[in-house]
Structures are given as C-alpha cells and as structure tokens.
Amino acid sequence: MGKYKQFILICGGTGCSSSGSGDIIDSFNKALEEKGLKDEVQIVRTGCFGFCEQGPIVKVLPDDTFYVKVTEKDVENIVNEHIIKGRRVQRLLYVEPSEKEKIEEYIKMPFYKKQIRVVLRNAGAINPENVEEYIANDGYSALAKALTEMSQDDVLKSISDSGLRGRGGGGFPTGMKWSFAKRAKGDKKYIICNADEGDPGAFMDRSVMEGDPHSVIEGMSIAAYAIGAQKGYVYIRAEYPLAVQRLRKALNDAREYGFLGENVMGTNFSFDIEVRLGAGAFVCGEETALIHSIEGKRGEPTSKPPFPANSGLWKKPTVINNVETLAQIPVILLKGADWFRKLGTEKSPGTKVFALAGAINNVGLVEVPMGITLREILYEIGGGIRNNKQFKAVQTGGPSGGCIPAKYLDTPIDFDNLIALGSMMGSGGMIVMDEDTCMVDVSKFYLEFTVDESCGKCTPCRIGNYRLHEVLERITSGRAVIEDLDKLEQLGNVIKDTALCGLGQTSPNPILSTINYFRDEYVAHIQDKKCPAGVCKNLIRYDINPAKCVGCTACARVCPVQAITGTVKKAHVIDQDKCIKCGACYATCRFGAISKI
Amino acid sequence: MNETMEMKLRDVADYVDTLKLEGKDQEVKRSYLIHTLHKAQEIIGYLPVEVQKLIAKKLGLHASEVYGVVSFYNYFTMKPKGLYPINLCLGTACYVRGSGPLYEELKKLLGVEEGEVTSDGIFSLHAVRCLGACGLAPVLMIGEKVHGRLKKEDLPRILEEYRQLAKTQNV
Ligand SMILES: Cc1cc2nc3c(=O)[nH]c(=O)nc-3n(C[C@H](O)[C@H](O)[C@H](O)COP(=O)(O)O)c2cc1C
Ligand code: SF4
Ligand code: SF4
Ligand code: FES
Ligand code: FES
C-alpha cells in the first residue's frame, strides 16, 4: 500500500451498492482528482462490513473513522473536512441508540466489539477484486504451506484436530468427510463448494464471496490437495450477480498468478475450478440434489448412503462443503488447530457468521465465537429490538429451524444446543421477531415456502406438508377445532421420520417449535377466534366506537368496498359482512374511534 | 416465428458452439444444460419451446428432458416478462418487515397477479425469495436495481419512474 497516506474504504457489498455506493465511489474519485489528492489518498471498494442496516458505509484509515448512511452529497464534505483538514464529519458518525453518543472509531462500536472475524477477516478490509491485496494479507500462503511442507495426511490431520464442523447446516466434522473421500477409490475426485444459500434471510455466503472470493478458492484448493481432486465446482445462486462476477474475476486472477491450473505454484499438484449457476430451487442446497443439478438434471435428491464422499458427482468420490467452511480452512492451516480450538466451545470450535435480520436495530452480518449467548448477539451486538418493542422469538435455521422464545436467551449457541431447543444452526440466519409477529402466521409462512420448494419426489413431504398447510390455513381463518393441534403434531412427526431428504425431514420444525413454545397463541386462534398479534386478517375485526366517533365521514370515503355508512356528524358503523379487513379506515380516523381486535 | 426470434435463436446456437462441446462425453455435454438455459433466457428473456428444442438438439438430449429441467427450476420461465420485471422479495427478513402487504398493494396498483405482465407491457410481477439485501428489508428489484427500505407510499413513485423511463425508450 506504500505511497498512500490515507485510505477511503467504501462498501461495495450488495446492501450498500443498492443504496448507491457506486455513485459515492465515483464522486470520491472526482473530488480527489479535483483537489490533486489522487496520489495521496487511495480509494478501496471493499466487500460488506456487516453493518448493512446503516449503509452505505465509508471507512477512513488510518484514523479508523466509520461513517454511516453516506450519500453522494456528503462526499465533498468528507474530502474537505476530514481528508484535507483532519476533522471528522460529526454528523455522519454512528450513534448507538442505547447511548445516544457519537462513536468516532470503528473499534469502539459495540457492534464490532464482541465479534471475532475469522471468516470475515478480509471482508470490508481489502478490495476483493484485487488478488494482490489478498496476497498481502497472507493470502495463498496456507496453500503454499500445504503444497510444499505438508503431506495430504498432514492436512487431513490438521483439519481433523481443529474440530471444524461444516457451516452449511448439518455440522458434520469436515476432517472426517475429507478422510472418507481421500480413502474412497476413484480415478477422478471432485470438490464442490455449496454456495446455493437457500435460506431466505441469510446472506453470509454471499458476503464472503463478494468480499473475499479468494479465501474460498484457496480453501477449495487445499481440500482438493488433501483428497486428491483435480477439479472443483462452485455451485452458486443465480440471484447473486455481484458474487458471481467477483468469483469469476478471482478465478481468472488466480489462474494468472499460478494458484490454479496445471502445476500449481510449480508443484506437481494440478487443480481448476468451474462456476455453475443454480436456478432457484431451495432443494438444490441438499448435496445429492446439488450434484444432480450440476450434472444437468432436475434437482431431486437421492437417498443416502451412498454418501457423496464415496459416490458423488458422476459417481466419483466428492466432497461438498459450504462457503463459510471453506473460508475457514486457510486460517486453520496457518494458525494451527490449537489456535482454532481456543475459539468457541469444545464440541463446536471456532467462529460462526450469523445474519441478523427482522425486528432488530442492527441488521447485518456478525461473526462470533460459538458458545456466545443469544442475548449477547441480540442486545449487545444487535443493539436490541427495534422501536423499543418487546422481544418475542428468534428464528434460527430458516425453513428447517425453529423459533426460540425469551426464556432461552441465555443459552450458549452451538450446533447441539440449538437442536436441543427444537431448532438448528442451519446456515446461520437469525430472524428476530417482536410482539407484533403472529407465531401461527410465521409457521404458515415457512410452510408455504416448503410446499413451494418440495421437489415432489417423496410422498410425506409432497402431500404431508400440503396437509399441514391446510390445517394452518384453517387455524388462521378461524375454522379450526382444538384437535387440529394434535393433528399438526402427529403428522409433523411422521413427516420428520419418513421424508427422503433433509428438506422434508426438517420442514415441520417451525410448526412443532411454535406449538411447543407458543401454544397459547394457537389456542387463541382456535378457541377465541382471535389473533393476539393482530396479523391474521380473517380474525381481525374493526369496530367504530360511537362515543368517540364525531362523524367526519373520512373512513367512509377511504373504505374501498363501501362497508362504512353513516351521515355527517353522526356516528358511523361498519358492516362486518362487507368489511375486507384492509385497515384503511383504522389508518384514517384521526379521533381514535376505530378499534382493531 | 418472427424475425427477431429467429435472430435470437441463432445467437443461442452460436453461444452453444463457443462451448466447443462437439465430441465430448454425453455426461459433460449434459452438465452444460442449466448453464445454456441461463444464457438463452438472458438472450431471449424467457424460454419458449423453440429454444428448448434447439438446446436439446445441440446437447444431444430429448426435448422432454430439457422441458423437465426448465419446469423444475423457479428461475426459468416459459412466459415472456414485462420490459421491467418487478421482483418483490418475500424472503423471511422482508416478510417480517411487511413485504406481504406491499405485494398485495403492487398487485392492486398494477392490476396483475403473480407472473403476469401489465397490459401496457411495461411491468411484470414476480415474488422472489431473498435477494441478499436483507439489511434494506423490505426490498424489490427492478432489472438490476434494488429498491430498499420500502414503504407503501413509495410504490407509485417508483412505478412512475419506470413508466417515464419506458417512454424515453420508445416502447
Ligand atoms: C433442503 C436443504 C437445503 C440446504 N441448503 C444448503 C445451502 O444453501 N448451503 C449449504 O452450504 N448447505 C445446504 N444444505 C446442507 C448441504 O446438504 C450439505 O450438508 C452442506 O453443504 C455440507 O457442507 P458443510 O459440511 O461444509 O456444512 C442444505 C441441506 C438441505 C437438506
Ligand atoms: S423430502 Fe421433499 S424435497 Fe426431499 S425428496 Fe422428499 S419431496 Fe423431495
Ligand atoms: S373517521 Fe373516525 S371519526 Fe370520522 S366518521 Fe370514521 S370513525 Fe367517525
Ligand atoms: S453491504 Fe455494505 S455493510 Fe453490508
Ligand atoms: S429476505 Fe428479502 S432480501 Fe433477504
């Protein structure tokens, strides 16, 4: 980085790019040009900082200033004040909601204080499109070490000793998976990176690939060396154009620098990687379905065994790992298994990236050691619940996971504890729900997802989930009887036990966990025909209180179906048979005369 | 079949030729199917039967195998889209921040249902799951542009913007 005195890091992640960080970069370039500062100040377009909620993010080094919600109009100000005069632009600093104080330096932000960034080590720090910056931060030195100083078994031992477990959901020990594939017989072997990131609401894999694509390539190369593969595939969602583009660029650069291709780094190890796009099917995240998809077929799972490690892509031994798992590999080889084991818990060592979303102040990506409590993540890092509402539940594991209520906020998070709570780690999505969320509606939402995404191959999942959905539909529209709750539980358990693949085997989790922890809410829907959170439309009732109504006629005019009648200055009434529960009158009345129950 | 379609089909055929699959194993050829369909959808905007047949021939597959794949994956569509397809996110992060009501509002404003094109051909409406911009939830994407932190009131303005844009594009 030599000649530059100052650096302006601008977030080029998807979140910030959508709120205009590209234009901000252009403006900085122009402003620096005009002031003749081009040779002194370097502009770096980085990957996601994790603090997407407050984007676009601009960070200035070396004084470690963190600006939030920057717009094009602020650029001149930052250049004139900060870059030239050395004075921070106060109005762009981040204000912690709980402390109301402006935070000048990045390292003092509560959002980052508890984080340990291993996977995200480079995201937000380097230009992901410049391989030299990756190299300058120890990039590809783990691969060099593996190829020149370690045997295949040394690598396997190091990964096994680290206790690393797959970050794609299952938590299977990575070292063990690799050993199976190494031992398996086959003239060809493959390594696949699972970048299908299907859980809606999770975006950690995307950020790794956008912010640090070379770490994934390096991890794959090390895996390939360890198991003896010559070819790798990255299976990535087509919905992530920026990640695809950066990955392709990184692959080309890696080839050019001799990190990929024939005789990598002059050794006799040869390995190359191809990109394959997904096509919007959640089930393709499942490993056997993913393999079929790469083969150009419908993404339907097949039963295991045989496991891919023995018979995978084109029936050859294949290792499939998640993006985050692979990004951990180079660090483990460089710093050692013991170092890794010091992070996290005994059975789940290391760090995990979580995507915080929903009713939380700091939506974004956080990387924390395993064993941290939910409370620490939600309140200390996440800044607490939005708009000072009451916390109700946090959903982990996406459509395969469950909802965890307030009484378990102090549980240390790792693979096994989450399963014990009826949820799972999944890929690391964490959706926070407040008092305004209806838990029955939430399970219906997830089940709709499952019904849509079921591949249809096996009956329990195809028909069973459909039936579950019908029952939920009855509950949310006030047509259910209390026995329906038992039906949900029974059928849910049958589906879990009998479905062919992980999708069906976990799809009842959202229902079962909410019945377990929020039974009252289900009962209220069924017996009292009420939705306590006021979400389920069919159970809401709007009424006009004649004592408060002044007869202004405003509601009657906005009602789209003319369900409200009354004469001027007289109390109005809602015809319940006509009312479509749109809530327009409720939003319009300025006299608080309309109630919603 | 009109002329532009013929031209586009030729583009697709030319693209497949650049992959140099001639003489390769059937397995390898087949593994380019999804890749090729992506490219074809990029060129034509959707995947009409003609292009499916063409790709089947090029990759040595039966047309029914290609159709089986096209119909399996949500990303592929056999219906043309509007000039500006609106992808509204109904992923979990967006849903808990109110994308459900936004979706209903859009249907009302556009007068179409899921997957349909407006009568003026400018918009089509599609529900998608997570665009990875959850930090800005709720979001929708038009073309490559993501509009985030949406409120109901923003929708008419955004639609108008694209209607004006469509005018300047002479369509
Ligand atoms: C329905 C379903 C969806 C899945 N989606 C993903 C996904 O999006 N990303 C992922 O890495 N793993 C996903 N998995 C898990 C993979 O099947 C596989 O276990 C994982 O990629 C292995 O990598 P790991 O050992 O590094 O975790 C999914 C599994 C199922 C059953
Ligand atoms: S469980 Fe569902 S997704 Fe999995 S094979 Fe059966 S039908 Fe397909
Ligand atoms: S808007 Fe309120 S005050 Fe006016 S007529 Fe309706 S209920 Fe009465
Ligand atoms: S995209 Fe900019 S902070 Fe996440
Ligand atoms: S859930 Fe909508 S962008 Fe992720």
Side-chain angles (χ1 to χ4, degrees):
Chain A
M1 292 189 171
K3 61 178 181 166
Y4 296 106
K5 293 199 188 97
Q6 277 172 305
F7 301 89
I8 303 177
L9 276 52
I10 302 155
C11 179
T14 291
C16 293
S17 296
S18 342
S19 38
S21 70
D23 295 338
I24 296 176
I25 294 178
D26 294 344
S27 306
F28 267 116
N29 270 321
K30 230 172 72 206
L32 292 179
E33 186 91 51
E34 277 168 18
K35 306 273 178 208
L37 291 168
K38 278 245 105 160
D39 297 332
E40 285 166 42
V41 185
Q42 192 187 21
I43 293 178
V44 185
R45 182 179 185 215
T46 70
C48 172
F49 283 85
F51 209 45
C52 320
E53 170 84 35
Q54 298 283 329
I57 306 288
V58 173
K59 191 172 163 182
V60 183
L61 294 177
D63 56 25
D64 207 27
T65 308
F66 197 82
Y67 290 128
V68 298
K69 292 200 172 157
V70 178
T71 65
E72 246 186 294
K73 291 189 210 108
D74 301 321
V75 168
E76 225 188 290
N77 209 204
I78 296 179
V79 171
N80 287 339
E81 283 297 306
H82 191 150
I83 302 298
I84 297 180
K85 297 188 192 143
R87 290 195 295 243
R88 290 188 171 115
V89 182
Q90 293 291 322
R91 67 185 171 85
L92 294 173
L93 294 171
Y94 175 65
V95 186
E96 179 70 13
S98 57
E99 295 170 13
K100 308 248 181 301
E101 208 172 287
K102 293 209 157 106
I103 300 178
E104 312 222 339
E105 283 163 54
Y106 168 83
I107 48 164
K108 294 201 180 131
M109 293 174 62
F111 183 75
Y112 290 106
K113 255 195 249 164
K114 286 221 161 177
Q115 293 198 42
I116 299 182
R117 293 167 75 94
V118 178
V119 173
L120 303 177
R121 58 192 178 278
N122 289 328
I126 66 168
N127 176 352
E129 297 191 15
N130 185 342
V131 60
E132 289 181 2
E133 289 194 23
Y134 181 68
I135 298 170
N137 286 281
D138 294 335
Y140 290 109
S141 44
L143 179 61
K145 181 173 169 186
L147 295 183
T148 56
E149 295 168 23
M150 299 171 87
S151 69
Q152 287 174 286
D153 287 327
D154 290 341
V155 177
L156 290 177
K157 182 164 182 323
S158 182
I159 299 303
S160 292
D161 288 348
S162 74
L164 174 66
R165 296 172 68 175
R167 302 300 195 233
F172 192 82
T174 306
M176 203 188 287
K177 193 187 271 188
W178 290 13
S179 302
F180 290 151
K182 158 102 192 308
R183 253 181 276 145
K185 287 203 172 32
D187 54 335
K188 283 183 187 155
K189 291 183 185 177
Y190 296 102
I191 162 96
I192 297 174
C193 168
N194 187 344
D196 197 38
E197 195 153 62
D199 171 7
F203 51 105
M204 59 287 286
D205 293 349
R206 162 177 215 158
S207 292
V208 172
M209 282 179 302
E210 284 178 1
D212 197 13
H214 286 285
S215 67
V216 181
I217 298 174
E218 188 176 3
M220 283 179 81
S221 303
I222 294 169
Y225 171 71
I227 67 162
Q230 299 85 37
K231 181 94 197 232
Y233 290 91
V234 181
Y235 186 82
I236 181 170
R237 288 186 77 192
E239 290 87 343
Y240 286 180
L242 187 59
V244 174
Q245 176 209 321
R246 292 207 176 137
L247 184 66
R248 289 210 163 113
K249 164 111 178 46
L251 287 171
N252 285 335
D253 291 348
R255 270 181 217 117
E256 204 166 289
Y257 277 72
F259 299 141
L260 276 180
E262 297 289 320
N263 304 105
V264 172
M265 297 181 182
T267 66
N268 53 19
F269 169 68
S270 299
F271 176 65
D272 211 336
I273 298 175
E274 269 186 52
V275 177
R276 287 301 155 95
L277 294 187
F282 175 65
V283 71
C284 285
E286 197 280 335
E287 46 196 19
T288 59
L290 188 154
I291 286 172
H292 295 142
S293 185
I294 293 185
E295 290 171 347
K297 300 177 184 153
R298 291 162 70 93
E300 286 170 1
T302 37
S303 58
K304 296 186 276 193
F307 288 95
N310 290 311
S311 173
L313 189 59
W314 294 304
K315 303 219 163 16
K316 306 290 181 198
T318 304
V319 159
I320 301 190
N321 275 132
N322 167 260
V323 170
E324 199 183 323
T325 315
L326 290 165
Q328 303 256 20
I329 302 292
V331 192
I332 296 177
L333 280 204
L334 282 185
K335 297 200 176 170
D338 291 338
W339 168 84
F340 189 74
R341 276 208 170 270
K342 285 201 191 99
L343 300 168
T345 64
E346 195 189 332
K347 288 200 174 135
S348 305
T351 55
K352 175 81 193 86
V353 183
F354 290 101
L356 279 182
I360 185 131
N361 276 317
N362 301 335
V363 170
L365 279 191
V366 305
E367 181 171 356
V368 289
M370 297 268 197
I372 193 171
T373 65
L374 282 167
R375 189 182 303 280
E376 284 170 281
I377 296 187
L378 301 186
Y379 288 89
E380 292 179 37
I381 299 174
I385 310 304
R386 278 194 152 210
N387 307 325
N388 289 319
K389 297 234 161 139
Q390 191 70 36
F391 169 85
K392 189 176 220 172
V394 54
Q395 209 280 349
T396 69
S400 315
C403 294
I404 301 171
K407 68 175 168 186
Y408 295 114
L409 278 178
D410 293 309
T411 313
I413 309 176
D414 65 11
F415 286 105
D416 312 301
N417 284 345
L418 287 178
I419 289 179
L421 291 178
S423 184
M424 53 185 262
M425 180 78 76
S427 52
M430 258 189 198
I431 309 278
V432 182
M433 298 166 183
D434 64 15
E435 55 195 294
D436 293 341
T437 319
C438 165
M439 300 317 279
V440 187
D441 182 63
V442 164
S443 26
K444 200 172 87 177
F445 168 80
Y446 280 112
L447 214 63
E448 255 157 38
F449 180 86
T450 316
V451 168
D452 264 8
E453 295 294 338
S454 164
C455 81
K457 181 166 173 168
C458 73
T459 321
C461 174
R462 182 184 68 239
I463 299 184
N465 282 315
Y466 194 79
R467 286 278 172 269
L468 287 180
H469 185 258
E470 278 176 354
V471 177
L472 288 179
E473 189 63 53
R474 280 209 295 276
I475 297 181
T476 52
S477 58
R479 290 180 288 116
V481 289
I482 199 74
E483 289 74 30
D484 280 334
L485 269 186
D486 299 334
K487 242 185 229 164
L488 282 179
E489 283 182 313
Q490 263 172 17
L491 182 54
N493 285 317
V494 170
I495 298 173
K496 279 182 84 149
D497 292 341
T498 53
L500 173 66
C501 87
L503 191 152
Q505 287 157 11
T506 54
S507 59
N509 284 348
I511 302 187
L512 296 176
S513 73
T514 47
I515 294 188
N516 188 7
Y517 297 129
F518 299 95
R519 201 180 182 88
D520 295 355
E521 263 184 60
Y522 280 86
V523 173
H525 282 74
I526 298 171
Q527 285 185 333
D528 313 338
K529 314 277 178 223
K530 283 209 176 101
C531 173
V535 173
C536 298
K537 261 193 171 181
N538 289 313
L539 301 180
I540 298 175
R541 189 187 152 109
Y542 293 97
D543 271 308
I544 297 177
N545 177 351
K548 284 192 182 168
C549 176
V550 300
C552 74
T553 76
C555 59
R557 277 179 278 134
V558 296
C559 177
V561 292
Q562 281 87 44
I564 303 178
T565 47
T567 39
V568 191
K569 294 195 180 154
K570 295 255 166 62
H572 283 47
V573 279
I574 301 178
D575 180 345
Q576 296 297 337
D577 291 335
K578 278 193 187 162
C579 172
I580 54 163
K581 334 267 181 190
C582 72
C585 56
Y586 181 74
T588 305
C589 180
R590 290 187 290 119
F591 303 91
I594 302 183
S595 64
K596 172 184 175 183
I597 40 166
Chain B
M1 208 187 329
N2 61 30
E3 253 175 66
T4 43
M5 180 59 88
E6 257 174 50
M7 253 164 59
K8 286 178 177 169
L9 286 178
R10 221 170 303 130
D11 287 348
V12 174
D14 289 347
Y15 176 76
V16 183
D17 291 339
T18 64
L19 297 172
K20 302 205 170 51
L21 297 175
E22 222 57 56
K24 292 240 170 98
D25 280 358
Q26 187 49 34
E27 267 182 358
V28 175
K29 278 192 191 169
R30 173 152 201 163
S31 81
Y32 280 91
L33 173 56
I34 293 176
H35 180 86
T36 315
L37 289 170
H38 271 293
K39 196 71 192 180
Q41 184 158 305
E42 197 182 303
I43 293 171
I44 307 176
Y46 66 110
L47 296 170
V49 178
E50 298 93 306
V51 77
Q52 295 183 36
K53 282 189 184 154
L54 178 126
I55 289 173
K57 207 164 123 212
K58 287 264 177 197
L59 299 183
L61 296 167
H62 199 276
S64 70
E65 291 176 293
V66 175
Y67 175 77
V69 167
V70 171
S71 58
F72 183 85
Y73 293 96
N74 295 331
Y75 200 86
F76 297 135
T77 164
M78 292 173 55
K79 279 194 284 187
K81 293 185 178 180
L83 177 63
Y84 301 113
I86 302 180
N87 293 303
L88 181 86
C89 182
L90 287 181
T92 321
C94 289
Y95 185 77
V96 298
R97 285 207 180 165
S99 64
L102 285 178
Y103 185 51
E104 295 306 316
E105 182 73 11
L106 270 177
K107 282 192 199 164
K108 222 167 64 190
L109 287 172
L110 298 170
V112 295
E113 291 292 317
E114 158 69 27
E116 291 177 357
V117 184
T118 52
S119 52
D120 56 11
I122 296 181
F123 298 109
S124 54
L125 182 62
H126 314 271
V128 293
R129 291 238 165 76
C130 196
L131 300 163
C134 321
L136 305 178
V139 306
L140 63 75
M141 187 162 87
I142 303 184
E144 297 255 300
K145 177 144 174 65
V146 175
H147 298 261
R149 303 188 184 112
L150 285 176
K151 294 194 193 64
K152 231 178 182 172
E153 304 85 82
D154 301 333
L155 296 175
R157 183 182 44 77
I158 293 174
L159 296 183
E160 193 48 39
E161 221 174 88
Y162 285 89
R163 283 200 188 100
Q164 292 304 330
L165 204 65
K167 264 186 212 153
T168 62
Q169 306 241 310
N170 256 336
V171 272

